[in-house]
Amino acid sequence: MSNLVETVAQEILAALKNDQLTLPSLPEVALKVRDVAERDDSTIANLTDIIIQDAALSARIIRVVNSPLLRAPQDVKDLPMAVSRLGMNYTSNLAVGLAMEQMFQATSDMIEQRMRALWQLTGQISSWASVLATHTKLLPPDEAMLAGLIHRLGALPILSFAEERDDLIQDNITLGRVIDRLHGPLGAAILAKWEFPKNLTEVPKLYRKLDRQPEAPDFAGLITLANLIHNKDLNAGWGLKDWELLPLFKTFKLPTDKNDELYVELAARVAASHAALA
């Protein structure tokens, strides 16, 4: 089994090196939104004009603004009001993150199932990251949300690669181990290609380094904590980690007791937030 994982991993890395591995492209609407948001002379109206062309994206942004995640003082009924409430940066990060769902599609039923499960998982982690950022006030919640949505992005080219390999489609265990091995560096490569900022590009490579002690709170550490807290009751993987031994909890000023009442309170906010993002 380990030999097969290594063989497939080397094939994927060789394809990446030779520009033969298809890396996903950021959806067109996300590119337009980001371009507008990064221009100094752009206005709320310019950004609204781009997003309003995508009816589904517009509706989801309005739903997020009206969700408990943002606790708007009054119902937001249209996109201009939603964008005005959120501001340029938050709207841009939210729109880019939501538009990325378009990439989680496949032709094979098995790969399609894995892609949908991956999107659901990243959505859960994204919600935890945003809620934790809001609670700790150490990082911007909109960028935290985006960090959650991109932290396992490197699985996408691996799943696309697997669609061309019957042996991988049939071997779910090997495919999972290849994803675990490679999604970090591949995710970083995709985000570098998209010209994301370094603090987000590093997230896929660093979020599984549980013993990190960053000088200041960063998005990789926040995504580590989001995964730990989301999976705290599992009897495997993330759920078996001893929080007392992890410096990141001190960095973010969060309790190391898995049963602390804070996590019950935050979990309710995460559930409401995820419902809005789904």
Side-chain angles (χ1 to χ4, degrees):
M1 176 72 73
S2 60
N3 288 339
L4 179 56
V5 170
E6 186 62 29
T7 298
V8 174
Q10 291 304 319
E11 286 182 31
I12 293 174
L13 289 174
L16 176 66
K17 182 178 180 181
N18 297 322
D19 292 325
Q20 296 174 335
L21 185 67
T22 302
L23 297 180
S25 297
L26 203 57
E28 184 178 0
V29 65
L31 287 170
K32 290 179 178 178
V33 164
R34 193 171 67 171
D35 287 346
V36 168
E38 290 177 351
R39 291 206 306 265
D40 293 336
D41 60 347
S42 292
T43 65
I44 293 290
N46 297 144
L47 190 57
T48 302
D49 287 344
I50 295 297
I51 298 173
I52 207 166
Q53 298 174 38
D54 188 318
L57 181 58
S58 300
R60 293 177 75 186
I61 288 174
I62 294 171
R63 189 164 75 235
V64 170
V65 176
N66 285 321
S67 75
L69 178 65
L70 296 176
R71 299 176 179 175
Q74 63 187 67
D75 280 352
V76 172
K77 301 185 184 303
D78 56 41
L79 185 65
M81 187 176 179
V83 178
S84 296
R85 179 71 51 80
L86 292 174
M88 294 281 284
N89 288 338
Y90 201 122
T91 301
S92 173
N93 286 326
L94 178 61
V96 168
L98 293 175
M100 282 170 40
E101 185 178 7
Q102 299 173 21
M103 301 183 301
F104 288 72
Q105 298 177 4
T107 54
S108 155
D109 288 343
M110 194 277 275
I111 299 299
E112 175 75 13
Q113 289 175 8
R114 288 200 70 130
M115 290 226 182
R116 300 312 303 169
L118 179 62
W119 176 253
Q120 287 295 318
L121 173 61
T122 55
Q124 290 279 4
I125 300 304
S126 176
S127 296
W128 267 110
S130 181
V131 167
L132 288 171
T134 300
H135 170 75
T136 60
K137 297 180 172 60
L138 296 172
L139 293 168
D142 55 312
E143 292 183 69
M145 173 210 66
L146 187 55
L149 291 176
I150 54 92
H151 81 287
R152 300 197 187 204
L153 192 63
L156 289 184
I158 301 171
L159 291 169
S160 297
F161 177 88
E163 281 200 288
E164 308 299 323
R165 293 276 303 263
D166 288 340
D167 55 335
L168 279 179
I169 289 180
Q170 301 303 322
D171 190 346
N172 212 23
I173 295 176
T174 296
L175 180 55
R177 291 181 178 176
V178 172
I179 290 172
D180 284 346
R181 162 89 187 277
L182 293 183
H183 81 268
L186 287 178
I190 294 167
L191 294 170
K193 174 188 172 187
W194 291 355
E195 299 180 343
F196 268 51
K198 185 179 179 182
N199 61 353
L200 290 176
T201 300
E202 291 181 334
V203 168
K205 291 190 299 184
L206 298 180
Y207 83 92
R208 290 193 297 174
K209 296 183 182 296
L210 274 63
D211 58 350
R212 289 179 64 241
Q213 299 186 54
E215 294 181 1
D218 60 11
F219 291 111
L222 185 67
I223 298 307
T224 302
L225 293 172
N227 274 279
L228 285 164
I229 298 168
H230 175 64
N231 294 295
K232 68 184 180 68
D233 296 324
L234 287 184
N235 194 29
W238 293 94
L240 299 179
K241 306 303 179 184
D242 185 348
W243 291 8
E244 294 286 350
L245 303 178
L246 306 181
L248 283 169
F249 282 91
K250 183 176 181 180
T251 302
F252 282 84
K253 301 184 172 86
L254 289 170
T256 54
D257 179 1
K258 295 183 180 182
N259 297 314
D260 193 285
E261 290 184 4
L262 172 65
Y263 297 124
V264 177
E265 175 190 334
L266 296 183
R269 289 169 57 188
V270 167
S273 301
H274 187 245
L277 291 172

PDB file of all heavy atoms in Angstrom, residues 5-14 16 21 152-155 157-158 161 175-190 204-205 208:
ATOM      1  N   VAL A   5       1.130   4.338  -2.827  1.00  0.00           N
ATOM      2  CA  VAL A   5       0.939   5.753  -2.486  1.00  0.00           C
ATOM      3  C   VAL A   5       2.135   6.566  -2.967  1.00  0.00           C
ATOM      4  O   VAL A   5       1.976   7.626  -3.581  1.00  0.00           O
ATOM      5  CB  VAL A   5       0.748   5.930  -0.962  1.00  0.00           C
ATOM      6  CG1 VAL A   5       0.790   7.406  -0.584  1.00  0.00           C
ATOM      7  CG2 VAL A   5      -0.561   5.305  -0.517  1.00  0.00           C
ATOM      8  N   GLU A   6       3.338   6.058  -2.717  1.00  0.00           N
ATOM      9  CA  GLU A   6       4.552   6.771  -3.127  1.00  0.00           C
ATOM     10  C   GLU A   6       4.654   6.859  -4.640  1.00  0.00           C
ATOM     11  O   GLU A   6       5.030   7.907  -5.184  1.00  0.00           O
ATOM     12  CB  GLU A   6       5.789   6.068  -2.551  1.00  0.00           C
ATOM     13  CG  GLU A   6       7.097   6.799  -2.788  1.00  0.00           C
ATOM     14  CD  GLU A   6       7.117   8.174  -2.135  1.00  0.00           C
ATOM     15  OE1 GLU A   6       6.432   8.361  -1.104  1.00  0.00           O
ATOM     16  OE2 GLU A   6       7.802   9.064  -2.669  1.00  0.00           O
ATOM     17  N   THR A   7       4.294   5.785  -5.330  1.00  0.00           N
ATOM     18  CA  THR A   7       4.358   5.788  -6.796  1.00  0.00           C
ATOM     19  C   THR A   7       3.408   6.824  -7.382  1.00  0.00           C
ATOM     20  O   THR A   7       3.779   7.617  -8.254  1.00  0.00           O
ATOM     21  CB  THR A   7       3.986   4.390  -7.342  1.00  0.00           C
ATOM     22  OG1 THR A   7       4.945   3.435  -6.871  1.00  0.00           O
ATOM     23  CG2 THR A   7       3.993   4.384  -8.866  1.00  0.00           C
ATOM     24  N   VAL A   8       2.180   6.831  -6.888  1.00  0.00           N
ATOM     25  CA  VAL A   8       1.192   7.791  -7.390  1.00  0.00           C
ATOM     26  C   VAL A   8       1.611   9.216  -7.041  1.00  0.00           C
ATOM     27  O   VAL A   8       1.501  10.137  -7.863  1.00  0.00           O
ATOM     28  CB  VAL A   8      -0.204   7.484  -6.816  1.00  0.00           C
ATOM     29  CG1 VAL A   8      -1.199   8.570  -7.217  1.00  0.00           C
ATOM     30  CG2 VAL A   8      -0.698   6.128  -7.297  1.00  0.00           C
ATOM     31  N   ALA A   9       2.118   9.402  -5.834  1.00  0.00           N
ATOM     32  CA  ALA A   9       2.559  10.737  -5.416  1.00  0.00           C
ATOM     33  C   ALA A   9       3.663  11.251  -6.328  1.00  0.00           C
ATOM     34  O   ALA A   9       3.651  12.419  -6.744  1.00  0.00           O
ATOM     35  CB  ALA A   9       3.041  10.699  -3.963  1.00  0.00           C
ATOM     36  N   GLN A  10       4.612  10.386  -6.670  1.00  0.00           N
ATOM     37  CA  GLN A  10       5.711  10.799  -7.539  1.00  0.00           C
ATOM     38  C   GLN A  10       5.207  11.120  -8.950  1.00  0.00           C
ATOM     39  O   GLN A  10       5.708  12.035  -9.605  1.00  0.00           O
ATOM     40  CB  GLN A  10       6.793   9.713  -7.586  1.00  0.00           C
ATOM     41  CG  GLN A  10       7.564   9.548  -6.278  1.00  0.00           C
ATOM     42  CD  GLN A  10       8.203  10.848  -5.816  1.00  0.00           C
ATOM     43  OE1 GLN A  10       8.741  11.614  -6.607  1.00  0.00           O
ATOM     44  NE2 GLN A  10       8.124  11.101  -4.513  1.00  0.00           N
ATOM     45  N   GLU A  11       4.221  10.366  -9.414  1.00  0.00           N
ATOM     46  CA  GLU A  11       3.630  10.651 -10.731  1.00  0.00           C
ATOM     47  C   GLU A  11       2.997  12.033 -10.742  1.00  0.00           C
ATOM     48  O   GLU A  11       3.151  12.800 -11.702  1.00  0.00           O
ATOM     49  CB  GLU A  11       2.563   9.600 -11.065  1.00  0.00           C
ATOM     50  CG  GLU A  11       3.116   8.235 -11.456  1.00  0.00           C
ATOM     51  CD  GLU A  11       1.993   7.260 -11.817  1.00  0.00           C
ATOM     52  OE1 GLU A  11       0.945   7.721 -12.316  1.00  0.00           O
ATOM     53  OE2 GLU A  11       2.165   6.057 -11.592  1.00  0.00           O
ATOM     54  N   ILE A  12       2.276  12.367  -9.672  1.00  0.00           N
ATOM     55  CA  ILE A  12       1.607  13.662  -9.601  1.00  0.00           C
ATOM     56  C   ILE A  12       2.626  14.791  -9.505  1.00  0.00           C
ATOM     57  O   ILE A  12       2.510  15.826 -10.177  1.00  0.00           O
ATOM     58  CB  ILE A  12       0.630  13.694  -8.416  1.00  0.00           C
ATOM     59  CG1 ILE A  12      -0.534  12.729  -8.674  1.00  0.00           C
ATOM     60  CG2 ILE A  12       0.105  15.104  -8.173  1.00  0.00           C
ATOM     61  CD1 ILE A  12      -1.487  12.575  -7.508  1.00  0.00           C
ATOM     62  N   LEU A  13       3.668  14.595  -8.697  1.00  0.00           N
ATOM     63  CA  LEU A  13       4.702  15.624  -8.554  1.00  0.00           C
ATOM     64  C   LEU A  13       5.454  15.832  -9.864  1.00  0.00           C
ATOM     65  O   LEU A  13       5.792  16.970 -10.227  1.00  0.00           O
ATOM     66  CB  LEU A  13       5.667  15.242  -7.433  1.00  0.00           C
ATOM     67  CG  LEU A  13       5.100  15.322  -6.010  1.00  0.00           C
ATOM     68  CD1 LEU A  13       6.096  14.779  -5.001  1.00  0.00           C
ATOM     69  CD2 LEU A  13       4.706  16.752  -5.658  1.00  0.00           C
ATOM     70  N   ALA A  14       5.704  14.735 -10.588  1.00  0.00           N
ATOM     71  CA  ALA A  14       6.379  14.851 -11.882  1.00  0.00           C
ATOM     72  C   ALA A  14       5.498  15.604 -12.877  1.00  0.00           C
ATOM     73  O   ALA A  14       5.985  16.449 -13.653  1.00  0.00           O
ATOM     74  CB  ALA A  14       6.723  13.459 -12.415  1.00  0.00           C
ATOM     75  N   LEU A  16       3.279  17.825 -12.124  1.00  0.00           N
ATOM     76  CA  LEU A  16       3.296  19.231 -11.713  1.00  0.00           C
ATOM     77  C   LEU A  16       4.561  19.925 -12.197  1.00  0.00           C
ATOM     78  O   LEU A  16       4.508  21.034 -12.748  1.00  0.00           O
ATOM     79  CB  LEU A  16       3.198  19.324 -10.191  1.00  0.00           C
ATOM     80  CG  LEU A  16       3.288  20.731  -9.586  1.00  0.00           C
ATOM     81  CD1 LEU A  16       2.083  21.566  -9.997  1.00  0.00           C
ATOM     82  CD2 LEU A  16       3.389  20.654  -8.053  1.00  0.00           C
ATOM     83  N   LEU A  21       0.150  18.750 -14.966  1.00  0.00           N
ATOM     84  CA  LEU A  21      -0.924  18.582 -13.995  1.00  0.00           C
ATOM     85  C   LEU A  21      -1.831  19.805 -14.073  1.00  0.00           C
ATOM     86  O   LEU A  21      -1.373  20.943 -13.946  1.00  0.00           O
ATOM     87  CB  LEU A  21      -0.361  18.455 -12.572  1.00  0.00           C
ATOM     88  CG  LEU A  21      -1.386  18.159 -11.473  1.00  0.00           C
ATOM     89  CD1 LEU A  21      -1.972  16.766 -11.638  1.00  0.00           C
ATOM     90  CD2 LEU A  21      -0.748  18.316 -10.091  1.00  0.00           C
ATOM     91  N   ARG A 152      -7.713  23.122   1.988  1.00  0.00           N
ATOM     92  CA  ARG A 152      -7.551  21.789   1.376  1.00  0.00           C
ATOM     93  C   ARG A 152      -7.722  21.847  -0.142  1.00  0.00           C
ATOM     94  O   ARG A 152      -8.038  20.852  -0.787  1.00  0.00           O
ATOM     95  CB  ARG A 152      -8.549  20.805   1.981  1.00  0.00           C
ATOM     96  CG  ARG A 152      -8.355  20.643   3.481  1.00  0.00           C
ATOM     97  CD  ARG A 152      -9.019  19.406   4.020  1.00  0.00           C
ATOM     98  NE  ARG A 152      -8.952  19.367   5.466  1.00  0.00           N
ATOM     99  CZ  ARG A 152      -9.023  18.260   6.196  1.00  0.00           C
ATOM    100  NH1 ARG A 152      -9.163  17.097   5.610  1.00  0.00           N
ATOM    101  NH2 ARG A 152      -8.957  18.308   7.512  1.00  0.00           N
ATOM    102  N   LEU A 153      -7.479  23.002  -0.688  1.00  0.00           N
ATOM    103  CA  LEU A 153      -7.651  23.209  -2.125  1.00  0.00           C
ATOM    104  C   LEU A 153      -6.776  22.264  -2.952  1.00  0.00           C
ATOM    105  O   LEU A 153      -7.134  21.876  -4.065  1.00  0.00           O
ATOM    106  CB  LEU A 153      -7.300  24.661  -2.462  1.00  0.00           C
ATOM    107  CG  LEU A 153      -7.654  25.194  -3.840  1.00  0.00           C
ATOM    108  CD1 LEU A 153      -9.163  25.194  -4.050  1.00  0.00           C
ATOM    109  CD2 LEU A 153      -7.102  26.610  -4.007  1.00  0.00           C
ATOM    110  N   GLY A 154      -5.635  21.882  -2.407  1.00  0.00           N
ATOM    111  CA  GLY A 154      -4.708  21.014  -3.141  1.00  0.00           C
ATOM    112  C   GLY A 154      -5.248  19.629  -3.433  1.00  0.00           C
ATOM    113  O   GLY A 154      -4.670  18.893  -4.238  1.00  0.00           O
ATOM    114  N   ALA A 155      -6.366  19.264  -2.806  1.00  0.00           N
ATOM    115  CA  ALA A 155      -6.975  17.964  -3.111  1.00  0.00           C
ATOM    116  C   ALA A 155      -7.612  17.955  -4.492  1.00  0.00           C
ATOM    117  O   ALA A 155      -7.755  16.886  -5.112  1.00  0.00           O
ATOM    118  CB  ALA A 155      -8.016  17.605  -2.053  1.00  0.00           C
ATOM    119  N   PRO A 157      -6.675  19.031  -7.696  1.00  0.00           N
ATOM    120  CA  PRO A 157      -5.953  18.432  -8.831  1.00  0.00           C
ATOM    121  C   PRO A 157      -5.685  16.947  -8.643  1.00  0.00           C
ATOM    122  O   PRO A 157      -5.595  16.203  -9.629  1.00  0.00           O
ATOM    123  CB  PRO A 157      -4.647  19.241  -8.888  1.00  0.00           C
ATOM    124  CG  PRO A 157      -4.502  19.866  -7.560  1.00  0.00           C
ATOM    125  CD  PRO A 157      -5.898  20.115  -7.065  1.00  0.00           C
ATOM    126  N   ILE A 158      -5.573  16.498  -7.407  1.00  0.00           N
ATOM    127  CA  ILE A 158      -5.374  15.059  -7.161  1.00  0.00           C
ATOM    128  C   ILE A 158      -6.635  14.290  -7.541  1.00  0.00           C
ATOM    129  O   ILE A 158      -6.576  13.231  -8.190  1.00  0.00           O
ATOM    130  CB  ILE A 158      -5.018  14.806  -5.684  1.00  0.00           C
ATOM    131  CG1 ILE A 158      -3.749  15.559  -5.308  1.00  0.00           C
ATOM    132  CG2 ILE A 158      -4.847  13.306  -5.424  1.00  0.00           C
ATOM    133  CD1 ILE A 158      -3.430  15.538  -3.824  1.00  0.00           C
ATOM    134  N   PHE A 161      -6.865  14.194 -11.246  1.00  0.00           N
ATOM    135  CA  PHE A 161      -5.895  13.200 -11.726  1.00  0.00           C
ATOM    136  C   PHE A 161      -6.478  11.795 -11.584  1.00  0.00           C
ATOM    137  O   PHE A 161      -6.346  10.955 -12.475  1.00  0.00           O
ATOM    138  CB  PHE A 161      -4.599  13.333 -10.923  1.00  0.00           C
ATOM    139  CG  PHE A 161      -3.530  12.333 -11.258  1.00  0.00           C
ATOM    140  CD1 PHE A 161      -2.617  12.580 -12.276  1.00  0.00           C
ATOM    141  CD2 PHE A 161      -3.415  11.141 -10.552  1.00  0.00           C
ATOM    142  CE1 PHE A 161      -1.623  11.662 -12.575  1.00  0.00           C
ATOM    143  CE2 PHE A 161      -2.433  10.220 -10.842  1.00  0.00           C
ATOM    144  CZ  PHE A 161      -1.518  10.485 -11.870  1.00  0.00           C
ATOM    145  N   LEU A 175      -6.199   6.632  -2.487  1.00  0.00           N
ATOM    146  CA  LEU A 175      -6.481   7.985  -2.915  1.00  0.00           C
ATOM    147  C   LEU A 175      -6.471   8.937  -1.718  1.00  0.00           C
ATOM    148  O   LEU A 175      -5.901  10.034  -1.788  1.00  0.00           O
ATOM    149  CB  LEU A 175      -7.839   8.044  -3.616  1.00  0.00           C
ATOM    150  CG  LEU A 175      -8.295   9.413  -4.132  1.00  0.00           C
ATOM    151  CD1 LEU A 175      -7.260  10.026  -5.063  1.00  0.00           C
ATOM    152  CD2 LEU A 175      -9.647   9.287  -4.842  1.00  0.00           C
ATOM    153  N   GLY A 176      -7.064   8.519  -0.622  1.00  0.00           N
ATOM    154  CA  GLY A 176      -7.075   9.353   0.580  1.00  0.00           C
ATOM    155  C   GLY A 176      -5.679   9.624   1.109  1.00  0.00           C
ATOM    156  O   GLY A 176      -5.363  10.738   1.531  1.00  0.00           O
ATOM    157  N   ARG A 177      -4.823   8.599   1.053  1.00  0.00           N
ATOM    158  CA  ARG A 177      -3.454   8.781   1.555  1.00  0.00           C
ATOM    159  C   ARG A 177      -2.630   9.678   0.636  1.00  0.00           C
ATOM    160  O   ARG A 177      -1.779  10.443   1.108  1.00  0.00           O
ATOM    161  CB  ARG A 177      -2.779   7.417   1.720  1.00  0.00           C
ATOM    162  CG  ARG A 177      -3.388   6.604   2.860  1.00  0.00           C
ATOM    163  CD  ARG A 177      -2.711   5.267   3.056  1.00  0.00           C
ATOM    164  NE  ARG A 177      -3.303   4.548   4.179  1.00  0.00           N
ATOM    165  CZ  ARG A 177      -2.959   3.323   4.546  1.00  0.00           C
ATOM    166  NH1 ARG A 177      -2.016   2.673   3.869  1.00  0.00           N
ATOM    167  NH2 ARG A 177      -3.533   2.747   5.580  1.00  0.00           N
ATOM    168  N   VAL A 178      -2.877   9.593  -0.664  1.00  0.00           N
ATOM    169  CA  VAL A 178      -2.192  10.489  -1.598  1.00  0.00           C
ATOM    170  C   VAL A 178      -2.608  11.935  -1.339  1.00  0.00           C
ATOM    171  O   VAL A 178      -1.778  12.849  -1.343  1.00  0.00           O
ATOM    172  CB  VAL A 178      -2.485  10.086  -3.063  1.00  0.00           C
ATOM    173  CG1 VAL A 178      -1.936  11.137  -4.026  1.00  0.00           C
ATOM    174  CG2 VAL A 178      -1.882   8.723  -3.378  1.00  0.00           C
ATOM    175  N   ILE A 179      -3.898  12.140  -1.100  1.00  0.00           N
ATOM    176  CA  ILE A 179      -4.395  13.487  -0.794  1.00  0.00           C
ATOM    177  C   ILE A 179      -3.735  14.007   0.478  1.00  0.00           C
ATOM    178  O   ILE A 179      -3.275  15.166   0.537  1.00  0.00           O
ATOM    179  CB  ILE A 179      -5.929  13.486  -0.669  1.00  0.00           C
ATOM    180  CG1 ILE A 179      -6.570  13.270  -2.042  1.00  0.00           C
ATOM    181  CG2 ILE A 179      -6.426  14.788  -0.052  1.00  0.00           C
ATOM    182  CD1 ILE A 179      -8.069  13.074  -1.999  1.00  0.00           C
ATOM    183  N   ASP A 180      -3.665  13.178   1.516  1.00  0.00           N
ATOM    184  CA  ASP A 180      -3.023  13.593   2.766  1.00  0.00           C
ATOM    185  C   ASP A 180      -1.566  13.981   2.531  1.00  0.00           C
ATOM    186  O   ASP A 180      -1.070  14.948   3.109  1.00  0.00           O
ATOM    187  CB  ASP A 180      -3.083  12.465   3.800  1.00  0.00           C
ATOM    188  CG  ASP A 180      -4.464  12.316   4.423  1.00  0.00           C
ATOM    189  OD1 ASP A 180      -5.287  13.242   4.262  1.00  0.00           O
ATOM    190  OD2 ASP A 180      -4.718  11.275   5.051  1.00  0.00           O
ATOM    191  N   ARG A 181      -0.901  13.239   1.668  1.00  0.00           N
ATOM    192  CA  ARG A 181       0.528  13.473   1.418  1.00  0.00           C
ATOM    193  C   ARG A 181       0.769  14.755   0.612  1.00  0.00           C
ATOM    194  O   ARG A 181       1.728  15.488   0.876  1.00  0.00           O
ATOM    195  CB  ARG A 181       1.084  12.262   0.650  1.00  0.00           C
ATOM    196  CG  ARG A 181       2.402  12.478  -0.057  1.00  0.00           C
ATOM    197  CD  ARG A 181       3.598  12.164   0.813  1.00  0.00           C
ATOM    198  NE  ARG A 181       4.815  12.556   0.120  1.00  0.00           N
ATOM    199  CZ  ARG A 181       5.435  11.812  -0.785  1.00  0.00           C
ATOM    200  NH1 ARG A 181       4.951  10.626  -1.090  1.00  0.00           N
ATOM    201  NH2 ARG A 181       6.541  12.239  -1.366  1.00  0.00           N
ATOM    202  N   LEU A 182      -0.081  15.053  -0.366  1.00  0.00           N
ATOM    203  CA  LEU A 182       0.252  16.088  -1.345  1.00  0.00           C
ATOM    204  C   LEU A 182      -0.614  17.341  -1.321  1.00  0.00           C
ATOM    205  O   LEU A 182      -0.261  18.334  -1.960  1.00  0.00           O
ATOM    206  CB  LEU A 182       0.194  15.496  -2.764  1.00  0.00           C
ATOM    207  CG  LEU A 182       1.235  14.436  -3.133  1.00  0.00           C
ATOM    208  CD1 LEU A 182       1.057  14.029  -4.582  1.00  0.00           C
ATOM    209  CD2 LEU A 182       2.641  14.965  -2.903  1.00  0.00           C
ATOM    210  N   HIS A 183      -1.742  17.331  -0.629  1.00  0.00           N
ATOM    211  CA  HIS A 183      -2.634  18.480  -0.802  1.00  0.00           C
ATOM    212  C   HIS A 183      -2.041  19.776  -0.269  1.00  0.00           C
ATOM    213  O   HIS A 183      -2.377  20.865  -0.743  1.00  0.00           O
ATOM    214  CB  HIS A 183      -4.027  18.209  -0.198  1.00  0.00           C
ATOM    215  CG  HIS A 183      -4.124  18.391   1.281  1.00  0.00           C
ATOM    216  ND1 HIS A 183      -3.927  17.363   2.172  1.00  0.00           N
ATOM    217  CD2 HIS A 183      -4.420  19.488   2.039  1.00  0.00           C
ATOM    218  CE1 HIS A 183      -4.094  17.804   3.395  1.00  0.00           C
ATOM    219  NE2 HIS A 183      -4.391  19.094   3.353  1.00  0.00           N
ATOM    220  N   GLY A 184      -1.116  19.684   0.687  1.00  0.00           N
ATOM    221  CA  GLY A 184      -0.498  20.893   1.222  1.00  0.00           C
ATOM    222  C   GLY A 184       0.340  21.638   0.191  1.00  0.00           C
ATOM    223  O   GLY A 184       0.056  22.797  -0.138  1.00  0.00           O
ATOM    224  N   PRO A 185       1.378  20.988  -0.358  1.00  0.00           N
ATOM    225  CA  PRO A 185       2.194  21.684  -1.359  1.00  0.00           C
ATOM    226  C   PRO A 185       1.433  22.040  -2.631  1.00  0.00           C
ATOM    227  O   PRO A 185       1.682  23.083  -3.236  1.00  0.00           O
ATOM    228  CB  PRO A 185       3.339  20.702  -1.646  1.00  0.00           C
ATOM    229  CG  PRO A 185       2.885  19.377  -1.114  1.00  0.00           C
ATOM    230  CD  PRO A 185       1.955  19.678   0.006  1.00  0.00           C
ATOM    231  N   LEU A 186       0.491  21.188  -3.042  1.00  0.00           N
ATOM    232  CA  LEU A 186      -0.288  21.510  -4.238  1.00  0.00           C
ATOM    233  C   LEU A 186      -1.203  22.712  -3.982  1.00  0.00           C
ATOM    234  O   LEU A 186      -1.361  23.573  -4.852  1.00  0.00           O
ATOM    235  CB  LEU A 186      -1.128  20.299  -4.665  1.00  0.00           C
ATOM    236  CG  LEU A 186      -0.361  19.142  -5.307  1.00  0.00           C
ATOM    237  CD1 LEU A 186      -1.314  17.993  -5.644  1.00  0.00           C
ATOM    238  CD2 LEU A 186       0.372  19.589  -6.553  1.00  0.00           C
ATOM    239  N   GLY A 187      -1.788  22.778  -2.804  1.00  0.00           N
ATOM    240  CA  GLY A 187      -2.623  23.919  -2.471  1.00  0.00           C
ATOM    241  C   GLY A 187      -1.827  25.211  -2.490  1.00  0.00           C
ATOM    242  O   GLY A 187      -2.290  26.239  -3.006  1.00  0.00           O
ATOM    243  N   ALA A 188      -0.619  25.168  -1.949  1.00  0.00           N
ATOM    244  CA  ALA A 188       0.235  26.360  -1.956  1.00  0.00           C
ATOM    245  C   ALA A 188       0.581  26.762  -3.388  1.00  0.00           C
ATOM    246  O   ALA A 188       0.622  27.956  -3.721  1.00  0.00           O
ATOM    247  CB  ALA A 188       1.507  26.093  -1.151  1.00  0.00           C
ATOM    248  N   ALA A 189       0.823  25.764  -4.254  1.00  0.00           N
ATOM    249  CA  ALA A 189       1.147  26.056  -5.658  1.00  0.00           C
ATOM    250  C   ALA A 189      -0.024  26.718  -6.372  1.00  0.00           C
ATOM    251  O   ALA A 189       0.153  27.658  -7.156  1.00  0.00           O
ATOM    252  CB  ALA A 189       1.544  24.761  -6.380  1.00  0.00           C
ATOM    253  N   ILE A 190      -1.236  26.245  -6.097  1.00  0.00           N
ATOM    254  CA  ILE A 190      -2.432  26.831  -6.718  1.00  0.00           C
ATOM    255  C   ILE A 190      -2.608  28.278  -6.268  1.00  0.00           C
ATOM    256  O   ILE A 190      -2.833  29.188  -7.072  1.00  0.00           O
ATOM    257  CB  ILE A 190      -3.686  26.015  -6.362  1.00  0.00           C
ATOM    258  CG1 ILE A 190      -3.608  24.616  -6.979  1.00  0.00           C
ATOM    259  CG2 ILE A 190      -4.952  26.725  -6.840  1.00  0.00           C
ATOM    260  CD1 ILE A 190      -4.643  23.654  -6.426  1.00  0.00           C
ATOM    261  N   PRO A 204      -2.228  26.009   3.374  1.00  0.00           N
ATOM    262  CA  PRO A 204      -2.285  24.571   3.107  1.00  0.00           C
ATOM    263  C   PRO A 204      -1.030  23.811   3.548  1.00  0.00           C
ATOM    264  O   PRO A 204      -1.126  22.643   3.942  1.00  0.00           O
ATOM    265  CB  PRO A 204      -2.432  24.507   1.573  1.00  0.00           C
ATOM    266  CG  PRO A 204      -3.040  25.815   1.200  1.00  0.00           C
ATOM    267  CD  PRO A 204      -2.440  26.801   2.147  1.00  0.00           C
ATOM    268  N   LYS A 205       0.127  24.465   3.514  1.00  0.00           N
ATOM    269  CA  LYS A 205       1.371  23.799   3.903  1.00  0.00           C
ATOM    270  C   LYS A 205       1.556  23.723   5.410  1.00  0.00           C
ATOM    271  O   LYS A 205       2.231  22.805   5.904  1.00  0.00           O
ATOM    272  CB  LYS A 205       2.581  24.538   3.302  1.00  0.00           C
ATOM    273  CG  LYS A 205       2.718  24.439   1.808  1.00  0.00           C
ATOM    274  CD  LYS A 205       4.067  24.984   1.347  1.00  0.00           C
ATOM    275  CE  LYS A 205       4.250  26.441   1.700  1.00  0.00           C
ATOM    276  NZ  LYS A 205       5.518  26.990   1.160  1.00  0.00           N
ATOM    277  N   ARG A 208      -1.327  21.745   9.241  1.00  0.00           N
ATOM    278  CA  ARG A 208      -1.229  20.456   9.941  1.00  0.00           C
ATOM    279  C   ARG A 208      -0.004  20.372  10.848  1.00  0.00           C
ATOM    280  O   ARG A 208       0.250  19.323  11.452  1.00  0.00           O
ATOM    281  CB  ARG A 208      -1.244  19.305   8.937  1.00  0.00           C
ATOM    282  CG  ARG A 208      -2.599  19.128   8.273  1.00  0.00           C
ATOM    283  CD  ARG A 208      -2.709  17.826   7.528  1.00  0.00           C
ATOM    284  NE  ARG A 208      -1.770  17.747   6.437  1.00  0.00           N
ATOM    285  CZ  ARG A 208      -1.583  16.661   5.686  1.00  0.00           C
ATOM    286  NH1 ARG A 208      -2.266  15.559   5.930  1.00  0.00           N
ATOM    287  NH2 ARG A 208      -0.717  16.678   4.695  1.00  0.00           N
TER     288      ARG A 208
END
